PDB file of all heavy atoms in Angstrom:
ATOM      1  N   LEU U   1       0.821  -1.186  -0.009  1.00  0.00           N
ATOM      2  CA  LEU U   1      -0.004  -0.009   0.001  1.00  0.00           C
ATOM      3  C   LEU U   1       0.865   1.242   0.001  1.00  0.00           C
ATOM      4  O   LEU U   1       2.002   1.248   0.538  1.00  0.00           O
ATOM      5  CB  LEU U   1      -0.896   0.003   1.211  1.00  0.00           C
ATOM      6  CG  LEU U   1      -1.745  -1.217   1.498  1.00  0.00           C
ATOM      7  CD1 LEU U   1      -2.630  -0.983   2.704  1.00  0.00           C
ATOM      8  CD2 LEU U   1      -2.583  -1.592   0.295  1.00  0.00           C
ATOM      9  N   SER U   2       0.352   2.297  -0.620  1.00  0.00           N
ATOM     10  CA  SER U   2       1.075   3.598  -0.633  1.00  0.00           C
ATOM     11  C   SER U   2       0.074   4.696  -0.196  1.00  0.00           C
ATOM     12  O   SER U   2      -1.136   4.562  -0.420  1.00  0.00           O
ATOM     13  CB  SER U   2       1.552   3.920  -2.031  1.00  0.00           C
ATOM     14  OG  SER U   2       2.482   2.985  -2.489  1.00  0.00           O
ATOM     15  N   CYS U   3       0.596   5.715   0.388  1.00  0.00           N
ATOM     16  CA  CYS U   3      -0.199   6.854   0.780  1.00  0.00           C
ATOM     17  C   CYS U   3       0.621   8.100   0.602  1.00  0.00           C
ATOM     18  O   CYS U   3       1.706   8.229   1.174  1.00  0.00           O
ATOM     19  CB  CYS U   3      -0.639   6.726   2.254  1.00  0.00           C
ATOM     20  SG  CYS U   3      -1.509   8.167   2.872  1.00  0.00           S
ATOM     21  N   ALA U   4       0.132   9.021  -0.193  1.00  0.00           N
ATOM     22  CA  ALA U   4       0.805  10.277  -0.439  1.00  0.00           C
ATOM     23  C   ALA U   4       0.039  11.470   0.100  1.00  0.00           C
ATOM     24  O   ALA U   4      -1.185  11.521   0.018  1.00  0.00           O
ATOM     25  CB  ALA U   4       0.992  10.458  -1.942  1.00  0.00           C
ATOM     26  N   LYS U   5       0.772  12.441   0.620  1.00  0.00           N
ATOM     27  CA  LYS U   5       0.135  13.606   1.151  1.00  0.00           C
ATOM     28  C   LYS U   5       1.115  14.776   1.098  1.00  0.00           C
ATOM     29  O   LYS U   5       2.065  14.861   1.882  1.00  0.00           O
ATOM     30  CB  LYS U   5      -0.330  13.421   2.576  1.00  0.00           C
ATOM     31  CG  LYS U   5      -1.059  14.634   3.187  1.00  0.00           C
ATOM     32  CD  LYS U   5      -2.326  14.935   2.518  1.00  0.00           C
ATOM     33  CE  LYS U   5      -3.090  16.069   3.178  1.00  0.00           C
ATOM     34  NZ  LYS U   5      -2.499  17.377   2.843  1.00  0.00           N
ATOM     35  N   PRO U   6       0.981  15.661   0.124  1.00  0.00           N
ATOM     36  CA  PRO U   6       1.947  16.810   0.018  1.00  0.00           C
ATOM     37  C   PRO U   6       1.859  17.697   1.224  1.00  0.00           C
ATOM     38  O   PRO U   6       0.873  17.767   1.897  1.00  0.00           O
ATOM     39  CB  PRO U   6       1.419  17.529  -1.232  1.00  0.00           C
ATOM     40  CG  PRO U   6       0.659  16.530  -1.992  1.00  0.00           C
ATOM     41  CD  PRO U   6       0.026  15.610  -0.993  1.00  0.00           C
ATOM     42  N   GLY U   7       2.958  18.386   1.483  1.00  0.00           N
ATOM     43  CA  GLY U   7       2.946  19.367   2.526  1.00  0.00           C
ATOM     44  C   GLY U   7       3.899  19.066   3.685  1.00  0.00           C
ATOM     45  O   GLY U   7       4.365  17.939   3.852  1.00  0.00           O
ATOM     46  N   ILE U   8       4.158  20.112   4.447  1.00  0.00           N
ATOM     47  CA  ILE U   8       5.171  19.994   5.528  1.00  0.00           C
ATOM     48  C   ILE U   8       4.685  19.156   6.697  1.00  0.00           C
ATOM     49  O   ILE U   8       5.493  18.577   7.389  1.00  0.00           O
ATOM     50  CB  ILE U   8       5.543  21.421   6.022  1.00  0.00           C
ATOM     51  CG1 ILE U   8       6.769  21.372   6.848  1.00  0.00           C
ATOM     52  CG2 ILE U   8       4.321  22.078   6.697  1.00  0.00           C
ATOM     53  CD1 ILE U   8       7.993  20.947   6.128  1.00  0.00           C
ATOM     54  N   ILE U   9       3.386  19.036   6.865  1.00  0.00           N
ATOM     55  CA  ILE U   9       2.869  18.251   7.978  1.00  0.00           C
ATOM     56  C   ILE U   9       3.362  16.841   7.934  1.00  0.00           C
ATOM     57  O   ILE U   9       3.766  16.230   8.956  1.00  0.00           O
ATOM     58  CB  ILE U   9       1.327  18.288   8.027  1.00  0.00           C
ATOM     59  CG1 ILE U   9       0.851  19.727   8.427  1.00  0.00           C
ATOM     60  CG2 ILE U   9       0.798  17.302   9.022  1.00  0.00           C
ATOM     61  CD1 ILE U   9      -0.603  19.906   8.449  1.00  0.00           C
ATOM     62  N   PHE U  10       3.386  16.236   6.761  1.00  0.00           N
ATOM     63  CA  PHE U  10       3.871  14.865   6.585  1.00  0.00           C
ATOM     64  C   PHE U  10       5.297  14.732   7.138  1.00  0.00           C
ATOM     65  O   PHE U  10       5.606  13.838   7.893  1.00  0.00           O
ATOM     66  CB  PHE U  10       3.810  14.434   5.115  1.00  0.00           C
ATOM     67  CG  PHE U  10       4.341  13.072   4.849  1.00  0.00           C
ATOM     68  CD1 PHE U  10       3.434  12.032   4.667  1.00  0.00           C
ATOM     69  CD2 PHE U  10       5.686  12.773   4.809  1.00  0.00           C
ATOM     70  CE1 PHE U  10       3.857  10.736   4.407  1.00  0.00           C
ATOM     71  CE2 PHE U  10       6.128  11.528   4.519  1.00  0.00           C
ATOM     72  CZ  PHE U  10       5.211  10.477   4.353  1.00  0.00           C
ATOM     73  N   ARG U  11       6.164  15.685   6.744  1.00  0.00           N
ATOM     74  CA  ARG U  11       7.537  15.511   7.052  1.00  0.00           C
ATOM     75  C   ARG U  11       7.856  15.775   8.532  1.00  0.00           C
ATOM     76  O   ARG U  11       8.913  15.378   9.011  1.00  0.00           O
ATOM     77  CB  ARG U  11       8.348  16.544   6.214  1.00  0.00           C
ATOM     78  CG  ARG U  11       8.203  16.281   4.760  1.00  0.00           C
ATOM     79  CD  ARG U  11       8.890  17.297   3.885  1.00  0.00           C
ATOM     80  NE  ARG U  11       8.476  17.250   2.511  1.00  0.00           N
ATOM     81  CZ  ARG U  11       8.931  18.038   1.530  1.00  0.00           C
ATOM     82  NH1 ARG U  11       9.789  19.002   1.849  1.00  0.00           N
ATOM     83  NH2 ARG U  11       8.512  17.885   0.300  1.00  0.00           N
ATOM     84  N   LEU U  12       6.934  16.391   9.271  1.00  0.00           N
ATOM     85  CA  LEU U  12       7.169  16.717  10.650  1.00  0.00           C
ATOM     86  C   LEU U  12       6.487  15.829  11.661  1.00  0.00           C
ATOM     87  O   LEU U  12       6.554  16.051  12.846  1.00  0.00           O
ATOM     88  CB  LEU U  12       6.778  18.178  10.913  1.00  0.00           C
ATOM     89  CG  LEU U  12       7.482  19.257  10.130  1.00  0.00           C
ATOM     90  CD1 LEU U  12       6.949  20.655  10.475  1.00  0.00           C
ATOM     91  CD2 LEU U  12       9.016  19.160  10.415  1.00  0.00           C
ATOM     92  N   ASN U  13       5.756  14.830  11.125  1.00  0.00           N
ATOM     93  CA  ASN U  13       4.922  14.024  11.993  1.00  0.00           C
ATOM     94  C   ASN U  13       5.156  12.508  11.883  1.00  0.00           C
ATOM     95  O   ASN U  13       5.547  12.017  10.831  1.00  0.00           O
ATOM     96  CB  ASN U  13       3.418  14.258  11.694  1.00  0.00           C
ATOM     97  CG  ASN U  13       2.952  15.529  12.323  1.00  0.00           C
ATOM     98  OD1 ASN U  13       2.477  15.526  13.454  1.00  0.00           O
ATOM     99  ND2 ASN U  13       3.066  16.647  11.617  1.00  0.00           N
ATOM    100  N   THR U  14       4.840  11.811  12.972  1.00  0.00           N
ATOM    101  CA  THR U  14       4.773  10.357  12.955  1.00  0.00           C
ATOM    102  C   THR U  14       3.617   9.975  12.081  1.00  0.00           C
ATOM    103  O   THR U  14       2.490  10.451  12.303  1.00  0.00           O
ATOM    104  CB  THR U  14       4.636   9.767  14.329  1.00  0.00           C
ATOM    105  OG1 THR U  14       5.833  10.120  15.076  1.00  0.00           O
ATOM    106  CG2 THR U  14       4.451   8.312  14.316  1.00  0.00           C
ATOM    107  N   MET U  15       3.841   9.125  11.100  1.00  0.00           N
ATOM    108  CA  MET U  15       2.767   8.633  10.209  1.00  0.00           C
ATOM    109  C   MET U  15       2.316   7.259  10.655  1.00  0.00           C
ATOM    110  O   MET U  15       3.031   6.526  11.299  1.00  0.00           O
ATOM    111  CB  MET U  15       3.333   8.586   8.801  1.00  0.00           C
ATOM    112  CG  MET U  15       3.631   9.920   8.203  1.00  0.00           C
ATOM    113  SD  MET U  15       2.154  10.995   8.161  1.00  0.00           S
ATOM    114  CE  MET U  15       1.071   9.950   7.152  1.00  0.00           C
ATOM    115  N   ALA U  16       1.060   6.993  10.290  1.00  0.00           N
ATOM    116  CA  ALA U  16       0.426   5.733  10.736  1.00  0.00           C
ATOM    117  C   ALA U  16      -0.499   5.151   9.641  1.00  0.00           C
ATOM    118  O   ALA U  16      -1.045   5.916   8.827  1.00  0.00           O
ATOM    119  CB  ALA U  16      -0.359   6.039  11.990  1.00  0.00           C
ATOM    120  N   TRP U  17      -0.586   3.867   9.671  1.00  0.00           N
ATOM    121  CA  TRP U  17      -1.606   3.155   8.884  1.00  0.00           C
ATOM    122  C   TRP U  17      -2.650   2.627   9.888  1.00  0.00           C
ATOM    123  O   TRP U  17      -2.323   2.155  10.965  1.00  0.00           O
ATOM    124  CB  TRP U  17      -1.005   1.983   8.122  1.00  0.00           C
ATOM    125  CG  TRP U  17      -0.283   2.345   6.897  1.00  0.00           C
ATOM    126  CD1 TRP U  17       1.054   2.565   6.713  1.00  0.00           C
ATOM    127  CD2 TRP U  17      -0.876   2.604   5.610  1.00  0.00           C
ATOM    128  NE1 TRP U  17       1.340   2.926   5.422  1.00  0.00           N
ATOM    129  CE2 TRP U  17       0.165   2.957   4.700  1.00  0.00           C
ATOM    130  CE3 TRP U  17      -2.185   2.594   5.130  1.00  0.00           C
ATOM    131  CZ2 TRP U  17      -0.084   3.286   3.384  1.00  0.00           C
ATOM    132  CZ3 TRP U  17      -2.378   2.896   3.776  1.00  0.00           C
ATOM    133  CH2 TRP U  17      -1.361   3.237   2.943  1.00  0.00           C
ATOM    134  N   TYR U  18      -3.910   2.779   9.450  1.00  0.00           N
ATOM    135  CA  TYR U  18      -5.047   2.327  10.205  1.00  0.00           C
ATOM    136  C   TYR U  18      -5.849   1.382   9.302  1.00  0.00           C
ATOM    137  O   TYR U  18      -5.701   1.396   8.103  1.00  0.00           O
ATOM    138  CB  TYR U  18      -5.935   3.441  10.621  1.00  0.00           C
ATOM    139  CG  TYR U  18      -5.282   4.500  11.454  1.00  0.00           C
ATOM    140  CD1 TYR U  18      -4.511   5.517  10.903  1.00  0.00           C
ATOM    141  CD2 TYR U  18      -5.439   4.538  12.829  1.00  0.00           C
ATOM    142  CE1 TYR U  18      -3.886   6.480  11.681  1.00  0.00           C
ATOM    143  CE2 TYR U  18      -4.851   5.491  13.651  1.00  0.00           C
ATOM    144  CZ  TYR U  18      -4.083   6.486  13.065  1.00  0.00           C
ATOM    145  OH  TYR U  18      -3.504   7.454  13.836  1.00  0.00           O
ATOM    146  N   ARG U  19      -6.725   0.586   9.900  1.00  0.00           N
ATOM    147  CA  ARG U  19      -7.640  -0.197   9.081  1.00  0.00           C
ATOM    148  C   ARG U  19      -8.974  -0.289   9.826  1.00  0.00           C
ATOM    149  O   ARG U  19      -9.063  -0.210  11.033  1.00  0.00           O
ATOM    150  CB  ARG U  19      -7.066  -1.573   8.797  1.00  0.00           C
ATOM    151  CG  ARG U  19      -6.924  -2.478   9.984  1.00  0.00           C
ATOM    152  CD  ARG U  19      -6.244  -3.781   9.619  1.00  0.00           C
ATOM    153  NE  ARG U  19      -6.101  -4.717  10.719  1.00  0.00           N
ATOM    154  CZ  ARG U  19      -5.429  -5.824  10.643  1.00  0.00           C
ATOM    155  NH1 ARG U  19      -4.849  -6.203   9.518  1.00  0.00           N
ATOM    156  NH2 ARG U  19      -5.337  -6.595  11.719  1.00  0.00           N
ATOM    157  N   GLN U  20     -10.024  -0.514   8.975  1.00  0.00           N
ATOM    158  CA  GLN U  20     -11.345  -0.664   9.537  1.00  0.00           C
ATOM    159  C   GLN U  20     -12.087  -1.754   8.809  1.00  0.00           C
ATOM    160  O   GLN U  20     -12.295  -1.669   7.565  1.00  0.00           O
ATOM    161  CB  GLN U  20     -12.150   0.630   9.439  1.00  0.00           C
ATOM    162  CG  GLN U  20     -13.501   0.593  10.147  1.00  0.00           C
ATOM    163  CD  GLN U  20     -14.133   1.938  10.284  1.00  0.00           C
ATOM    164  OE1 GLN U  20     -13.783   2.896   9.578  1.00  0.00           O
ATOM    165  NE2 GLN U  20     -15.087   2.097  11.189  1.00  0.00           N
ATOM    166  N   ALA U  21     -12.423  -2.797   9.491  1.00  0.00           N
ATOM    167  CA  ALA U  21     -13.180  -3.940   8.945  1.00  0.00           C
ATOM    168  C   ALA U  21     -14.663  -3.677   9.136  1.00  0.00           C
ATOM    169  O   ALA U  21     -15.037  -2.914  10.071  1.00  0.00           O
ATOM    170  CB  ALA U  21     -12.737  -5.217   9.600  1.00  0.00           C
ATOM    171  N   PRO U  22     -15.508  -4.228   8.301  1.00  0.00           N
ATOM    172  CA  PRO U  22     -16.960  -4.014   8.476  1.00  0.00           C
ATOM    173  C   PRO U  22     -17.421  -4.323   9.862  1.00  0.00           C
ATOM    174  O   PRO U  22     -17.125  -5.397  10.416  1.00  0.00           O
ATOM    175  CB  PRO U  22     -17.550  -4.950   7.444  1.00  0.00           C
ATOM    176  CG  PRO U  22     -16.486  -5.151   6.442  1.00  0.00           C
ATOM    177  CD  PRO U  22     -15.187  -5.098   7.161  1.00  0.00           C
ATOM    178  N   GLY U  23     -18.191  -3.406  10.474  1.00  0.00           N
ATOM    179  CA  GLY U  23     -18.699  -3.607  11.788  1.00  0.00           C
ATOM    180  C   GLY U  23     -17.745  -3.356  12.944  1.00  0.00           C
ATOM    181  O   GLY U  23     -18.113  -3.491  14.124  1.00  0.00           O
ATOM    182  N   ASN U  24     -16.507  -3.030  12.556  1.00  0.00           N
ATOM    183  CA  ASN U  24     -15.505  -2.801  13.608  1.00  0.00           C
ATOM    184  C   ASN U  24     -15.042  -1.322  13.651  1.00  0.00           C
ATOM    185  O   ASN U  24     -15.256  -0.595  12.670  1.00  0.00           O
ATOM    186  CB  ASN U  24     -14.247  -3.630  13.338  1.00  0.00           C
ATOM    187  CG  ASN U  24     -14.512  -5.114  13.573  1.00  0.00           C
ATOM    188  OD1 ASN U  24     -15.592  -5.492  14.002  1.00  0.00           O
ATOM    189  ND2 ASN U  24     -13.528  -5.921  13.289  1.00  0.00           N
TER     190      ASN U  24
END
C-alpha cells in the first residue's frame, strides 16, 4: 500500500496506517 500527502505536515509528524473492517 502507498499513501501520499503533500505538505510540511507529513515531514514533521509520525505517520500511521489504520484499518477498519466491516462492523469494527
Side-chain angles (χ1 to χ4, degrees):
L1 307 184
S2 298
C3 173
K5 181 67 176 74
I8 193 65
I9 291 177
F10 179 100
R11 299 176 192 179
L12 298 179
N13 280 270
T14 295
M15 292 301 302
W17 281 96
Y18 301 81
R19 67 185 181 186
Q20 186 168 20
N24 290 357

